[in-house]
Amino acid sequence: MVSPGPTVAARDWFHDTDARRGWIVTVVITVICAVTRFTMLRYPTDAGTPVFDEKHYAPQGYQVLTGGGIEDNPAYGLVVHPPVGKQLIAVGEALFGYNGWGWRFSSAVAGTLLVLLVIRIVRRLARSTLVGAIAGILLTVDGVTFVSSRIGMLDIFLALFVTAALGCLVVDRDDMRQRLSRVRAEGRMDASVLGPRMGVRWWRFGAGVMLGLACGTKWSGLYFIAFFGLLSVAFDVAARRSYGVRRPWRGTAVRDIGPALYALVVVPIAVYLMTWWAWFTSETSVYRHEVGDGVGVGGPFSFVPDALRSLWFYSSSVLQFHEGLTNSAGNRHPWESKPWTWPMGLRPMLYYFADGENVSGCSASSCVKAIMLIGTPAMWWLALPMLAWAIWSVFVRRDWRYATVLVGYSAALLPWFATLDRQMYYFYAVALAPFMVMGFALVLGDIIGKARASAERRGTGLLLVALYLAVVIANFVWLWPILTAMPITPEMWQQQLWLPSWR
């Protein structure tokens, strides 16, 4: 006689227990991550002042704090990014003052929340708390997001918002499938060849809000709007096909694309404009009343409100600034890199360096302190094999999870190949890191094996994954001195520089 399956009560108990376990694991790893991000956060500074590009954003954040929400130095040519990241930096400065803790606090919070998000997203993708925990561990010991979480710059905020947007779309995918499953169970799937209308999709709306905040931090958030919009439509087509809609493509075109354009294009634009609230409400904002000066009063766009036309003029001047930062125009930086070097982190970036008689604490007559933005090689150097496996999994195994990760990864990397003459830096790859880690976690989940695999198969997989995680953590610990500006000897400094391109 076949034994009956688990009762509804037993299944509910299991799912509740697994959900609790998932949150316990998430909180523990996030707390560990927070300890690494916040420890000695105010160190180092340049004699109490910001280091590297903090010199732009820390004072601009303080101007946002003290100037009614806007920067008050419009003549300075590097006020070239939207306001969200600087407003977030201002929050830390409001709490702790104009010091290292103040201008880095929000970055550390963002970097910590990023780990939490990646754990939850990967757990949902893999349907495994273990694989989600692996993702959290990997991101915690990733040098790129670690350093970016401990410095007052904008890229960690961009990474947080685009990762949150992807998470919203993944939840929206699951929610839509639950709705379709309910419709099929009720026998209403054949009411229309197009399939059912899906109603309000709040998670997709949330993705639009996050994308608007991403664009309000850096304009490269626009790339994610394009890629994530296509991903959302692909989710809809696949769902309608899976649940037996007779015309899934037509159903998606009629039922889903319009709402998707609203949620992932109109909403981000509206949120982006709202991030300029202080600029709109101030009478002294740079270019705030440009109509009649830099912008003509007539013309085909005279119906557009003057404030929006002035913002367009402001934005075009920012775009011109960026367009002029080209190698062909003679703009070069000793730590510049191009996007083909980012997947493996072949050209890191030196944020801070000090040596000489004023540096001590390394038990030697001469010491060195440095902060280098560098990806943990035990991960980043394996990016190409990981990507190859992901691509194979998409086209051969039809694995939607890898496709989802590859879309995020591609949005962070591929658009930069269109402007190779432009001055570029490795910190542009910060938004790449969470999607890279998601890919690695899925690969390690495949190595562990499915839950129905034999105990020997899973035991061997777990051993291999544990050994790999140990190598990554050890690699991170080795790099710790040049990620945190610990005093080390010049000999140790040289030992940290593994490749000629790191020098």
Side-chain angles (χ1 to χ4, degrees), residues 104-116:
R104 294 170 185 161
F105 175 78
S106 295
S107 294
V109 171
T112 302
L113 291 177
L114 183 62
V115 170
L116 185 150

Side-chain angles (χ1 to χ4, degrees), residues 395-474:
F395 289 101
V396 177
R397 299 166 60 196
R398 305 295 184 182
D399 195 323
W400 71 274
R401 305 169 306 158
Y402 283 103
T404 301
V405 171
L406 285 175
V407 168
Y409 191 96
S410 299
L413 177 66
L414 295 183
W416 297 103
F417 283 89
T419 55
L420 290 177
D421 188 36
R422 190 182 182 279
Q423 204 174 53
M424 300 182 195
Y425 307 100
Y426 186 46
F427 56 74
Y428 294 177
V430 174
L432 191 72
F435 305 109
M436 180 199 71
V437 165
M438 292 180 198
F440 272 112
L442 292 177
V443 171
L444 294 176
D446 287 343
I447 292 174
I448 293 172
K450 297 183 181 299
R452 62 177 178 269
S454 67
E456 181 180 5
R457 166 69 178 82
R458 284 183 62 83
T460 302
L462 280 169
L463 176 61
L464 292 174
V465 170
L467 290 173
Y468 175 70
L469 290 177
V471 170
V472 176
I473 294 170

Side-chain angles (χ1 to χ4, degrees), residues 182-211:
R182 191 180 309 119
V183 169
R184 186 169 67 178
E186 295 170 354
R188 297 187 288 110
M189 190 62 73
D190 293 330
S192 169
V193 296
L194 304 179
R197 293 180 174 86
M198 302 312 300
V200 178
R201 294 165 62 173
W202 289 109
W203 283 104
R204 189 168 62 180
F205 180 87
V209 173
M210 292 298 105
L211 290 170

